[in-house]
Structures are given as structure tokens and as C-alpha cells.
Amino acid sequence: MSCLEIVGAGVITIIVAIGALEEHGEDLSPVDQAHRDYEAGRIDEHEQEHRLAFHLDDRNEEIREVVRQVNNVGEEISKDIAREFESLDELRRADREDPTAIHGVAQSTADAVLARVRE
């Protein structure tokens, strides 16, 4: 086997391994996953920036911390609310119907969230 064939076989092995990791999902941070999705062409630059801003922005954590104190608001709902609103101030100014546009947020939960952030 020539050196070129050995190197080629090694490169193919690495490519297959990377593909297997991506297929089976490895435990990447959301920031790393956003970078990987952008590099692989699964998301555009705008979406990458949106995801990075979401995961790196302290305002996001502030919103999540406050709304998680409401009954029926867990991790996923708090993330969805934080994605929808830029800040606690924006959430405070929201109309009663705004949070219900988020999948999984019932009117009673939206009312409780708005009451909590307006305290």
C-alpha cells in the first residue's frame, strides 16, 4: 500500500467518524452546535447569529430565571419565552395574547408569566 493510499484511507476514516458523531448526536454546547450547523449549511448566518445571541446573552438568562418561577413553566417553555422576547421590559409590555403565540403556552400560563414579570 502506498503512502497516498494510507493517507486517503485515514482521511476517509475520519470523515466517516465525524459523520457518525453528527448523526448520533454528540453532547455539544448550544454555541458549538450553532457553529457546526452553520458550517454544515444547515442554518444561515442570520439564524447562527440569533442562536449565538440567545445563548450568550445575559438578558436571556434573566428572562428564563424569572419565568421559571411560574407554575407550569419548565426549561423548554422558559427557553421559548426568552427566544421570543428581547428583554424583561419587552415581556412586561407584551399584550396578554403575545405569550400564547408560543407553542405550549396556555392563556393561564401566559397570564401568570405576565403577572410575575409585572410584579
Side-chain angles (χ1 to χ4, degrees):
M1 193 178 252
S2 72
C3 288
L4 188 55
E5 290 172 326
I6 292 171
V7 170
V11 170
I12 290 171
T13 301
I14 291 169
I15 291 170
V16 169
I18 290 171
L21 285 174
E22 286 181 352
E23 234 177 78
H24 297 305
E26 55 189 285
D27 290 334
L28 293 176
S29 74
V31 170
D32 290 337
Q33 187 63 52
H35 286 303
R36 180 164 289 171
D37 288 346
Y38 175 70
E39 289 170 355
R42 290 187 287 266
I43 61 173
D44 63 17
E45 185 175 357
H46 176 73
E47 178 63 19
Q48 179 193 25
E49 289 173 3
H50 176 75
R51 289 182 187 185
L52 293 176
F54 173 78
H55 292 292
L56 297 174
D57 193 341
D58 289 339
R59 292 173 299 177
N60 167 272
E61 187 54 39
E62 183 181 29
I63 293 169
R64 292 181 63 210
E65 188 174 309
V66 171
V67 301
R68 276 194 302 253
Q69 297 172 17
V70 175
N71 286 340
N72 299 322
V73 176
E75 279 300 306
E76 290 306 310
I77 298 286
S78 72
K79 285 180 185 178
D80 293 342
I81 291 171
R83 279 187 194 107
E84 189 67 27
F85 297 93
E86 293 289 322
S87 66
L88 276 174
D89 286 336
E90 183 182 346
L91 181 55
R92 283 184 189 106
R93 292 188 305 268
D95 290 332
R96 184 173 181 249
E97 296 78 26
D98 291 345
T100 60
I102 300 168
H103 178 74
V105 178
Q107 188 64 61
S108 59
T109 301
D111 290 344
V113 164
L114 292 174
R116 174 68 182 101
V117 299
R118 292 173 178 164
E119 290 180 340

